[in-house]
Amino acid sequence: MSGLTGKTLALPAFSQNSTIRIAGWSAGEASQLRLGQFFSIGAQLFRIVAAPVSAAADGTCDVEFEPRIRTTVAQGAVVVFNAPVGLFRLIGTEDVGYTLGVDGADFGSMSAIEAVF
């Protein structure tokens, strides 16, 4: 996925859309996008459900994803594939802790939900 840097929104991504146009490829270049792959725009995390094998003649790819965009994002915003992030909040009141051992730290399990803004 090292070739998936320098990608930006070719058009604004409006709230409630589930398809975006991403720019940053050469015409006909292999997109390197995969079904189930995660990406982020700002603090919003998405998963690809449909993507082209190669870029269009204008160097863009139309990508379908889930969940839908929660807030409108401007044209030119960076699309992150190499280290996508999302904003989540812990749910429940269970104690979240960790234990240290010779093999490192064990954080057990946590429950989280996407932070809707």
Side-chain angles (χ1 to χ4, degrees), residues 81-103:
F81 290 98
N82 291 345
V85 298
L87 182 61
F88 293 84
R89 302 203 190 291
L90 289 174
I91 57 174
T93 57
E94 70 274 0
D95 290 331
V96 178
Y98 65 94
T99 56
L100 291 176
V102 292
D103 295 328

Side-chain angles (χ1 to χ4, degrees), residues 35-78:
L35 297 181
Q37 181 176 0
F38 287 94
F39 68 95
S40 61
I41 303 170
Q44 297 178 80
L45 183 66
F46 306 100
R47 186 175 63 86
I48 295 175
V49 297
V53 172
S54 57
D58 63 356
T60 63
C61 290
D62 289 345
V63 176
E64 187 177 338
F65 56 89
E66 57 184 22
R68 294 179 181 273
I69 292 180
R70 300 218 187 270
T71 58
T72 298
V73 182
Q75 177 179 349
V78 175

